[in-house]
Amino acid sequence: MNAAVIIDRRRVLAGGGALIVSFSLGSALAQQQDAPQAAAPSPPGSLKTSPYLDAWIRIDADGVEVFTGKAELGQGFKTAFQQIAAEELDIAFESLKVTTADTRLTANEGYTAGSNSMKDSGTAIQNAAAQVRALLIAEAARRLGLSAESLRTADGAVIAPDGKRLSYGELVAVDMLHVQAQPDSKLKDPATFKVIGRPVPRVDIPAKVTGGEAYVQDMRLPGMLHARVVRPPSYGAELTECDTAAVGKLPGVVKVVRDGNFLAVVAEKEFQSIKAMNALAAAAKWKETARLPKQDDLVNVLTSLPSQDTTIFERSNAAVAAHRTIEATYTRPYQAHGSIGPSCAVAQFVDGAMTVWTHTQGVYPDRQGIAEMLRMPPANVRLIHVDGSGCYGHNGADDAAADAALIARALPGRPVRVHWTREQEHAWEPYGPAMVTKLKASLDGNGKIADWNFDVWSNTHSMRPGGAGSMLAAQHMAQPFAVPAPRPLPLPEGGGDRNAIPFYNFPNTRVVHHFISAMPLRISAMRALGAYHNVFSIESFIDELAILAGADPVEFRLKHLDDQRGRDVIEKAAQAFGWKPDQKPPPDRGYGFAFARYKNLAAYCAVASEVEVNRETGRPRLVRAAAAVDSGQVVNPDGLINQIEGAIVQSMSWTLYESVTFDDTRITSIDWQTYPILRFSSVPESIEVHIIDRPGQPFLGSGETGQGPAAASIANAVANATGKRLRNLPLTRKRIKEAIDA
Amino acid sequence: MRASTRIIAGIVAAVLIAAAVAAFAIVWRPAIAGIDPPDPQSFDAALVKRGRDLAAIGNCSDCHTPRGAKNFAGGLPVPTPFGTIFSTNITPDPETGIGRWSEAAFRRAMRSGVNREGQHLYPTFPYDHFTNVSDEDDRALYAFLMTRQPVRAAPRENQLSFPFNQRLAIAGWKLLFLRHDTYRPDPRQSAEWNRGAYLVEGLAHCGACHTPRNALGAERVSARFAGGDVDDWHAYAINEQSRSPVPWTADALFTYLREGWHPDHGTARGPMAKVVSNLSSVPASDVRAIAVYTASVSGTPTSGRTGPSEDALARAKKASQTNPVGASIYTAACASCHEGGRPLPYGGVDLGLSTAISSPDPRNLANIVLSGIDAVEGERSPIMPGFAASMNDDQVSALLNYLRARFSDQSAWTDLKKTIAEARRTQTVFLQTSPAPRNAPADPQQREKP
Amino acid sequence: MMTLKVNGREHQVDAEADTPLLYVLRDDLKLNAAKYGCGLGQCGSCTVIVDGKAVLSCVVPMVLLEGKQVTTLEGLGTIAEPAPIQRAFMEEQAAQCGYCIPGMMMRAQALLQKNSKPTDEQIRAELEPHLCRCGTHMRILRAVHRAARLMDTADVSPAANGSAR
């Protein structure tokens, strides 16, 4: 294998890649030209698209640095990547440095989304690290005149049988790692792992709990100015009048930027910019149009919009006869990401080059959009990811980056920091789309599901940038960029139809995706995409069928599931919860269960929950939850538990409380009064997360796997407690009270 | 002992015996035989549902479901000038609740403030109003309560000083203040008005807070609805003495009572928040009736209540000049919401419309500035940060004086510092004992006690 | 110009009387911990301690701070020498994105200074003004309990009792 790598490297060098001294990625196109032909087996993870080892790992005399094109969003994978690299490189965890997404430094890994970071980047780093280690051993073998097999590695050095050490820094030559990865790597035996699988403390937490500079919001570049944007009051509003003269004279104001409907003010100090923003907002006159749909009639609004209908799954077995049939409609409202820290970005335009520091999830696509908006070549635009507040999908991050770039261009030389207000974040972020599902299923004579029909109506679940038209600033400019036409996200991952296909085995199954291209509200990707509502629908309806069949919900699920890993998490969660088929909850309490395999191809998760409902007020309370998760090989068990715990708590808030509200013109949920989320008094008494580790199995990711099962588990527990089935999200106190009183 | 002395002694003895007999007749009430708790299924569902609405109008849960407790299980400490009285368990638990009460026993409690065992109840239970409730409505309330979840929770001992700890004293109180009339409709008024009067004077017991009380804790008949006290809050005058800058109308009252806020008056706070949250779930017609009757009680506004005056600007300027500290606090801490141009209830009332600022009693304003308005868990509700931790009494005083000078045409409050110090002390207690959002039925549009 | 005492040091600050403390801390004093979350007193991200009490710095104007002592998370400890509350949050790994955490820590610190053994209920009630979107609540609660234990056993040091260093 080592020889093959060297041959390959020679081929690349001979193939005209200049001898690259300092690391440079080159354009994605160039990489693709260099990439192995499609016929050849490709290396795993993101090595497929960024095959050079030095895109991932750089070694010099100062140490070892790991690069990822993914962005740390608070999931803690920066730490997991560091563990993976330390393990496969045989180097001390602490001695490594991990650099995240930066268009000048790291691979193009698209978006940090879809729970794909471990699968894409983690896998790439693991394999790159293993191959780099092999290269270093080969080099040491050459220098020492020993066989590679006789050498071992430890603590950042190759060690000979006589104890002689050659550090990685000594061994590496300038271009040694600028070689393409091989399809196969000699990975370590999971049984020997020393760092992977350990609950290593996260590397980012110390700064975050001591007031270190941890976020893009904390950046202070020399000479930095503070900008605030004045957004239109509603979608499509046009600025008809704005006397900026008075605002320009306010203390500290450096510039008022107006470009069509884009309006911003820049000042020396932050609070000056806020006062100026308020004055500018008061001076601006807008023409608004009423174009929002009726919020209370989502089922009709969505199902009557033109849709592109696709049967995405069909299976039939006429031998199984339907005995009893039920149907139900489930809805989900528009819901907000609601980051605690509103979006922020810093941009600086120097000598025709734009640099933007941003908490975007995709530095490369965002760069493309910003370059297009500014009509600059992408090469002159650099985007650097800096941590932000948790985003849970496509929030205002990219828009704030575009705002900063547009404003900074008007003030060459000076770094400009833009921070959105709370109201702007709530009113302008792209929401998780509203959805409708209609289900119809029958039991056969033996109490098993005979047929299953599932229809889902949804927008796309990604309007992320790539083009400028996805970003507010570009949409609001005098020469605006049109919002690109939405496209359904392709299966098997899917968008609105993510997890629409049941993971269970039903003899007759039909699943139809009604893709709606009209987007009355600005929408995009939110944690788990369509899987949140589809799993809520499927797992609620499975419960309805179990009740119809007089079966225990857990046994009923197992009866329809062949997948062993799925069965294992169900049994584990049930056992951890203390689930018993003949259980009887205390008065006013209910038990609920739900399961899903995220995207039907990633992590498995089952959640059991106990909910208490106050019969007088209708107020629901999640008392406790127990979950089991199988995410493949576990890298950082504590990080995984943190993710699942968080998913359950967040999903509980979505499920019980949250909906974006609007009148015919404006969004009316614009802060935490009007878009309430959970507070501490509703936090459960306990949440248990049990991991089923699968050493040596691929990383499956975990960021989004809990959302759907948690929602359905809670809904099922509410139904169990009240005897009433609620099918419209959120399951508010008022809806529950109405159901009880009905 | 001489004969005359004996005669006198005999007369005295006779008078005492007669008095004792009379007193016994007044004081003594028989126990009503206990029953086996009725089967919840034995009550008509429609009757239970009507009882639920009536219980909401009667605001029963406010006293009988304290923070963190089970529904209707009692235990709320009610401070009175005579000591602390604890609300009772009105769930159908046979041992600690009213499970063994017959309907007749329940009706007697509502009518004359006597429990099943024959003991007189303290008038913190507002039977002086409930005496107006019809038999039919008592039956519905009984059906509702007897179908609740029974909770075993023994009532707490009242903490009263002598002689108020003697139930005998209550009998005397009743003799003086309890009218056993039931409500009689006024044929000259509309059916809606009469319905409103029946509810306001009876089950809704509005006067219990909004009418001032005399030294013995009874409502002063001569000052009906002239403003009273509750939980260290001032319940505003809702008769012609109302100080709200814009006079109340039936429409405004309806919106306020139903939604918890009105653009001309702001949001319901303090103990009133719970009232409006209960009223959000009852039939609109009843709330409308309450509004119509209450508007007629308000009558014609006293002079000077014609809305924000033209010289408001001049007042604002003068207030800023004479009280720059108050002005700065207002600009940074208040104006971002109260002048944000956002619609009520989420933007904060235009303080020129605030009754709290034009009221003769500054307590409510002090309470709200110190404690703010807490979020209602999981529901759309106004939030206001409290400033108890960030402002000392001098600073609160400066702010309140500024608000008074700028947003009302009333003279400055006296003794403001004392009020603030007292509010700082009592609000801490109030927040710990008032019903918690978790137990309170709040409409999505509404909010809870601070 | 006004004088502001932060973390035991006096600063001359050029800010208007109506400027909220949050912007003076972040913009003039270059402190990171207090965060802008809403500017409306609804989320708790900006919480700092003033004279021993937790306050929302986004709605506290400078005019209120004359002669008062402000403590921010930076004043409690450092990475090398963390205060008990900071150690506790590190040990419990009580953060996901972490944006809301400094505000929570300051509220918890103020609570622990006046009540060294709070019940779970008291901690929850105290943290009610604070929002966390990642769902880290369980860990935050555990971290506050742990901090209480650490403060109980810690030597009385400036960091432990919350005054500035």
Side-chain angles (χ1 to χ4, degrees):
Chain A
M1 185 187 116
N2 294 343
V5 171
I6 290 165
I7 289 164
D8 187 61
R9 175 183 146 221
R10 285 191 187 126
R11 183 177 66 76
V12 171
L13 291 176
L19 196 84
I20 296 169
V21 176
S22 75
F23 170 76
S24 151
L25 265 184
S27 72
L29 187 65
Q31 287 177 39
Q32 274 161 14
Q33 282 169 345
D34 281 354
Q37 293 304 301
S42 55
S46 289
L47 286 170
K48 265 195 253 333
T49 46
S50 297
Y52 286 91
L53 295 182
D54 61 358
W56 304 96
I57 291 162
R58 269 183 77 195
I59 300 175
D60 59 23
D62 296 335
V64 180
E65 195 168 352
V66 178
F67 294 85
T68 170
K70 300 286 186 182
E72 170 69 56
L73 311 173
Q75 332 87 315
F77 69 58
K78 195 171 171 176
T79 308
F81 291 166
Q82 195 165 329
Q83 287 178 260
I84 293 169
E87 186 71 66
E88 292 291 348
L89 278 170
D90 259 335
I91 188 165
F93 174 84
E94 301 75 26
S95 69
L96 281 170
K97 178 171 180 274
V98 177
T99 296
T100 55
D102 179 336
T103 57
R104 186 172 291 172
L105 299 176
T106 69
N108 180 356
E109 291 195 84
Y111 296 106
T112 304
S115 297
N116 285 329
S117 297
M118 291 305 295
K119 176 170 82 69
D120 295 347
S121 212
T123 304
I125 290 167
Q126 185 182 27
N127 284 275
Q131 295 188 25
V132 164
R133 180 169 158 273
L135 283 177
L136 293 165
I137 290 177
E139 175 64 14
R142 190 185 63 77
R143 287 197 200 173
L144 297 170
L146 294 165
S147 75
E149 289 69 31
S150 68
L151 302 174
R152 64 186 179 93
T153 52
D155 204 16
V158 181
I159 300 167
D162 63 357
K164 184 173 167 51
R165 294 170 54 96
L166 286 167
S167 77
Y168 293 167
E170 291 170 63
L171 284 167
V172 80
V174 271
D175 61 339
M176 189 173 153
L177 303 183
H178 192 68
V179 295
Q180 293 198 356
Q182 293 303 294
D184 296 312
S185 319
K186 190 167 179 294
L187 298 176
K188 284 194 171 174
D189 176 358
T192 68
F193 283 163
K194 294 190 220 47
V195 195
I196 288 181
R198 302 267 182 270
V200 174
R202 267 176 43 191
V203 293
D204 54 331
I205 286 182
K208 288 175 175 175
V209 299
T210 52
E213 190 183 302
Y215 305 91
V216 66
Q217 283 90 345
D218 300 334
M219 284 184 65
R220 291 182 197 84
L221 298 179
M224 189 175 81
L225 297 167
H226 291 273
R228 285 292 183 280
V229 181
V230 173
R231 288 266 177 252
S234 56
Y235 296 142
E238 286 169 31
L239 187 59
T240 53
E241 200 187 316
C242 187
D243 181 3
T244 62
V247 175
K249 291 192 196 96
L250 289 173
V253 171
V254 176
K255 197 173 183 69
V256 177
V257 179
R258 182 181 168 179
D259 187 344
N261 294 317
F262 181 85
L263 200 54
V265 61
V266 189
E268 293 286 348
K269 295 182 73 171
E270 187 162 16
F271 194 58
Q272 290 170 337
S273 75
I274 291 169
K275 283 184 156 177
M277 169 188 70
N278 290 334
L280 192 57
K285 303 277 176 285
W286 303 86
K287 180 166 155 271
E288 297 181 71
T289 41
R291 51 189 240 178
L292 296 182
K294 286 245 178 304
Q295 190 198 324
D296 294 339
D297 192 22
L298 269 181
V299 174
N300 286 321
V301 167
L302 291 185
T303 54
S304 57
L305 285 169
S307 64
Q308 175 189 318
D309 304 344
T310 316
T311 302
I312 57 172
F313 188 80
E314 203 157 21
R315 171 194 289 161
S316 61
N317 178 356
V320 184
H323 195 63
R324 281 178 295 175
T325 304
I326 56 170
E327 48 192 310
T329 300
Y330 295 83
T331 66
R332 170 212 178 167
Y334 293 95
Q335 292 177 317
H337 301 82
S339 299
I340 297 298
S343 294
C344 180
V346 179
Q348 189 172 18
F349 186 58
V350 182
D351 300 333
M354 180 68 75
T355 305
V356 185
W357 291 265
T358 163
H359 54 107
T360 178
Q361 290 178 280
V363 284
Y364 281 92
D366 204 18
R367 174 177 76 163
Q368 189 191 328
I370 288 173
E372 188 184 335
M373 174 183 79
L374 301 176
R375 298 181 165 82
M376 287 172 63
N380 289 2
V381 179
R382 177 182 182 188
L383 263 73
I384 302 170
H385 177 266
V386 185
D387 286 16
S389 180
C391 64
Y392 329 105
H394 179 194
N395 68 349
D398 301 307
D399 299 305
D403 292 342
L406 193 57
I407 298 165
R409 189 175 60 175
L411 289 155
R414 303 283 305 262
V416 176
R417 175 183 180 272
V418 177
H419 202 172
W420 281 15
T421 65
R422 166 52 46 205
E423 293 91 331
Q424 289 169 345
E425 186 76 29
H426 260 90
W428 284 98
E429 66 148 276
Y431 307 116
M435 292 170 70
V436 174
T437 43
K438 293 192 176 180
L439 286 82
K440 186 176 175 187
S442 311
L443 294 177
D444 65 15
N446 301 319
K448 277 191 80 173
I449 292 170
D451 59 59
W452 176 275
N453 290 280
F454 186 95
D455 285 74
V456 54
W457 284 261
S458 176
N459 281 141
T460 181
H461 282 252
S462 176
M463 290 298 291
R464 292 178 184 277
S470 293
M471 295 182 295
L472 291 174
Q475 294 166 13
H476 293 161
M477 291 163 77
Q479 289 180 289
F481 290 82
V483 176
R487 282 173 314 184
L489 302 174
L491 286 165
E493 301 209 348
D497 52 357
R498 180 168 291 182
N499 276 87
I501 299 169
F503 194 60
Y504 300 101
N505 248 332
F506 306 138
N508 294 286
T509 312
R510 186 162 188 269
V511 181
V512 182
H513 179 207
H514 304 261
F515 172 76
I516 304 165
S517 46
M519 295 172 288
L521 270 72
R522 185 170 193 242
I523 56 94
S524 192
M526 182 153 139
R527 196 172 186 182
L529 312 191
Y532 168 65
H533 182 66
N534 291 330
V535 171
F536 162 71
S537 309
I538 291 173
E539 289 293 302
S540 293
F541 201 56
I542 286 274
D543 243 46
E544 296 196 50
L545 287 160
I547 292 165
L548 186 70
D552 173 69
V554 169
E555 284 173 2
F556 192 69
R557 283 174 172 81
L558 289 171
K559 217 158 122 179
H560 292 91
L561 185 66
D562 299 333
D563 187 291
Q564 190 54 47
R565 286 171 75 174
R567 296 179 65 91
D568 289 350
V569 297
I570 288 177
E571 280 163 0
K572 182 78 202 170
Q575 176 234 326
F577 183 80
W579 189 280
K580 291 186 185 66
D582 53 355
Q583 62 194 353
K584 197 173 177 306
D588 294 339
R589 293 206 176 181
Y591 300 139
F593 198 91
F595 158 79
R597 181 178 192 193
Y598 187 49
K599 298 189 277 195
N600 290 342
L601 51 77
Y604 301 80
C605 182
V607 181
S609 58
E610 177 173 347
V611 165
E612 183 180 58
V613 174
N614 184 319
R615 300 194 72 81
E616 302 307 325
T617 65
R619 193 170 293 282
R621 183 171 76 92
L622 177 60
V623 178
R624 65 186 179 105
V629 61
D630 170 355
S631 186
Q633 164 78 56
V634 178
V635 175
N636 189 323
D638 188 60
L640 176 57
I641 290 169
N642 201 350
Q643 283 294 296
I644 302 297
E645 258 179 27
I648 292 170
V649 173
Q650 186 182 65
S651 181
M652 172 206 131
S653 181
W654 291 3
T655 303
L656 296 181
Y657 308 136
E658 299 182 25
S659 57
V660 170
T661 59
F662 43 90
D663 56 25
D664 61 1
T665 309
R666 295 183 179 182
I667 302 295
T668 55
S669 49
I670 52 167
D671 59 9
W672 302 118
Q673 304 179 94
T674 47
Y675 191 87
I677 65 172
L678 96 154
R679 288 177 182 268
F680 269 92
S681 58
S682 298
V683 171
E685 285 160 21
S686 78
I687 295 181
E688 279 178 38
V689 179
H690 299 269
I691 296 172
I692 299 180
D693 193 9
R694 302 285 183 189
Q697 290 290 324
F699 307 134
L700 294 180
S702 63
E704 296 164 307
T705 187
Q707 306 301 115
S713 168
I714 290 166
N716 289 336
V718 169
N720 187 234
T722 61
K724 303 292 171 77
R725 175 66 55 176
L726 278 84
R727 301 188 183 88
N728 298 312
L729 292 168
L731 317 180
T732 59
R733 178 197 69 74
K734 209 171 179 218
R735 283 176 171 164
I736 294 174
K737 180 169 163 57
E738 279 164 8
I740 293 173
D741 291 353
Chain B
M1 191 182 282
R2 285 180 314 189
S4 57
T5 316
R6 231 177 277 135
I7 291 163
I8 291 167
I11 291 168
V12 167
V15 167
L16 281 176
I17 290 163
V21 168
F24 182 76
I26 294 162
V27 173
W28 186 80
R29 291 288 180 277
I32 294 178
I35 58 166
D36 288 334
D39 176 6
Q41 301 302 320
S42 67
F43 294 95
D44 175 45
L47 190 66
V48 172
K49 188 171 175 350
R50 211 156 58 78
R52 180 194 309 126
D53 291 339
L54 290 168
I57 290 172
N59 208 25
C60 308
S61 61
D62 196 5
C63 287
H64 290 281
T65 310
R67 178 168 291 247
K70 303 264 193 210
N71 296 314
F72 301 116
L76 180 81
V78 181
T80 73
F82 320 109
T84 301
I85 296 167
F86 291 91
S87 67
T88 54
N89 181 347
I90 55 170
T91 71
D93 179 62
E95 307 308 320
T96 61
I98 60 169
R100 294 171 58 75
W101 290 34
S102 61
E103 189 187 324
F106 178 76
R107 194 165 52 241
R108 182 174 74 172
M110 291 289 282
R111 281 286 153 71
S112 35
V114 175
N115 67 13
R116 188 186 66 78
E117 291 80 7
Q119 283 179 312
H120 291 279
L121 296 167
Y122 286 95
T124 38
F125 174 53
Y127 46 81
D128 48 338
H129 290 274
F130 292 166
T131 187
N132 282 315
V133 177
S134 68
D135 289 358
E136 201 189 349
D137 283 355
D138 276 340
R139 183 171 308 129
L141 283 162
Y142 178 73
F144 171 71
L145 290 173
M146 297 310 270
T147 50
R148 297 308 91 197
Q149 187 83 47
V151 178
R152 198 180 172 82
R156 290 176 65 183
E157 283 296 316
N158 295 331
Q159 295 157 2
L160 293 163
S161 53
F162 185 83
F164 306 106
N165 56 2
Q166 302 298 305
R167 298 241 173 202
L168 180 86
I170 309 172
W173 188 92
K174 286 181 181 175
L175 201 58
L176 290 169
F177 302 115
L178 181 62
R179 302 281 163 270
H180 286 275
D181 331 331
T182 50
Y183 173 75
R184 269 190 300 275
D186 181 344
R188 291 164 303 172
Q189 300 286 353
S190 67
E192 192 173 50
W193 185 96
N194 274 301
R195 174 72 181 159
Y198 166 73
L199 292 172
V200 167
E201 303 295 348
L203 193 55
H205 63 285
C206 304
C209 295
H210 287 280
T211 298
R213 291 176 184 268
N214 63 21
L216 289 174
E219 291 174 31
R220 283 168 52 204
V221 180
S222 59
R224 226 162 54 101
F225 297 128
D229 297 294
V230 53
D231 294 347
D232 301 297
W233 290 74
H234 178 59
Y236 296 129
I238 53 172
N239 60 9
E240 71 287 347
Q241 292 170 42
S242 162
R243 292 298 180 93
S244 83
V246 176
W248 283 96
T249 63
D251 282 344
L253 277 163
F254 174 74
T255 305
Y256 183 84
L257 293 174
R258 188 91 180 143
E259 313 285 337
W261 63 279
H262 186 276
D264 290 345
H265 302 278
T267 59
R269 309 170 313 263
M272 191 63 194
K274 186 64 190 296
V275 175
V276 297
S277 94
N278 278 330
L279 291 179
S280 71
S281 67
V282 308
S285 58
D286 279 347
V287 181
R288 168 69 62 184
I290 291 172
V292 164
Y293 174 72
T294 310
S296 83
V297 166
S298 303
T300 329
T302 50
S303 62
R305 285 177 54 214
T306 48
S309 64
E310 300 91 44
D311 56 4
L313 267 180
R315 274 211 311 267
K317 197 170 169 199
K318 186 158 167 258
S320 300
Q321 282 165 352
T322 54
N323 185 350
V325 173
S328 292
I329 298 172
Y330 172 77
T331 311
C334 316
S336 53
C337 290
H338 286 278
E339 289 184 19
R342 288 165 52 178
L344 271 180
Y346 306 110
V349 68
D350 167 357
L351 293 177
L353 299 172
S354 164
T355 309
I357 291 173
S358 52
S359 164
D361 187 334
R363 264 184 305 172
N364 292 8
L365 188 61
N367 287 342
I368 207 77
V369 166
L370 289 173
S371 304
I373 301 173
D374 285 353
V376 177
E377 176 65 27
E379 304 196 14
R380 286 165 69 85
S381 65
I383 301 171
M384 174 178 150
F387 292 89
S390 49
M391 292 189 206
N392 59 32
D393 290 358
D394 287 334
Q395 290 165 333
V396 178
S397 175
L399 175 62
L400 265 51
N401 276 324
Y402 173 79
L403 296 175
R404 178 82 162 174
R406 175 168 169 186
F407 293 108
S408 85
D409 53 5
Q410 308 289 315
S411 57
W413 284 303
T414 52
D415 258 355
L416 195 50
K417 291 271 274 291
K418 204 172 136 222
T419 305
I420 293 164
E422 183 64 7
R424 200 182 278 281
R425 192 183 62 75
T426 58
Q427 281 307 295
T428 319
V429 178
F430 177 71
L431 289 174
Q432 282 160 3
T433 56
S434 63
R438 186 183 297 171
N439 291 313
D443 188 82
Q445 294 292 329
Q446 294 171 351
R447 33 165 310 281
E448 282 301 324
K449 288 182 179 183
Chain C
M1 277 290 178
M2 68 171 282
T3 306
L4 184 66
K5 277 188 256 174
V6 179
N7 298 334
R9 281 182 49 201
E10 289 202 354
H11 301 268
Q12 295 301 310
V13 177
D14 183 14
E16 310 265 334
D18 63 3
T19 308
L21 171 62
L22 174 67
Y23 300 103
V24 174
L25 294 176
R26 294 192 60 87
D27 210 7
D28 295 83
L29 305 186
K30 321 268 182 244
L31 295 168
N32 296 317
K35 297 280 191 274
Y36 170 80
C38 67
L40 303 161
Q42 298 173 4
C43 76
S45 305
C46 63
T47 304
V48 299
I49 293 177
V50 175
D51 284 354
K53 291 178 188 146
V55 305
L56 302 168
S57 68
C58 76
V59 288
V60 173
M62 291 297 282
V63 66
L64 293 177
L65 296 165
E66 198 73 61
K68 294 185 186 173
Q69 178 77 51
V70 179
T71 308
T72 72
L73 187 58
E74 288 92 340
L76 298 185
T78 60
I79 293 184
E81 273 185 84
I85 188 85
Q86 292 166 321
R87 249 185 72 195
F89 272 72
M90 290 183 206
E91 287 170 1
E92 290 292 345
Q93 292 284 292
Q96 286 190 40
C97 85
Y99 197 88
C100 68
I101 297 295
M104 302 244 192
M105 293 172 74
M106 295 312 282
R107 175 86 53 182
Q109 174 76 19
L111 169 69
L112 295 176
Q113 280 171 206
K114 64 173 196 255
N115 177 0
S116 62
K117 290 191 178 71
T119 62
D120 198 57
E121 194 135 306
Q122 285 169 329
I123 296 171
R124 285 171 190 249
E126 191 72 16
L127 291 177
E128 189 71 0
H130 292 257
L131 295 176
C132 164
R133 189 56 166 158
C134 296
T136 321
H137 304 71
M138 307 305 296
R139 285 165 184 251
I140 293 166
L141 292 170
R142 284 204 295 272
V144 178
H145 282 294
R146 180 183 283 259
R149 292 195 301 273
L150 288 175
M151 283 167 81
D152 214 32
T153 54
D155 296 332
V156 178
S157 68
N161 64 26
S163 65
R165 338 159 35 97

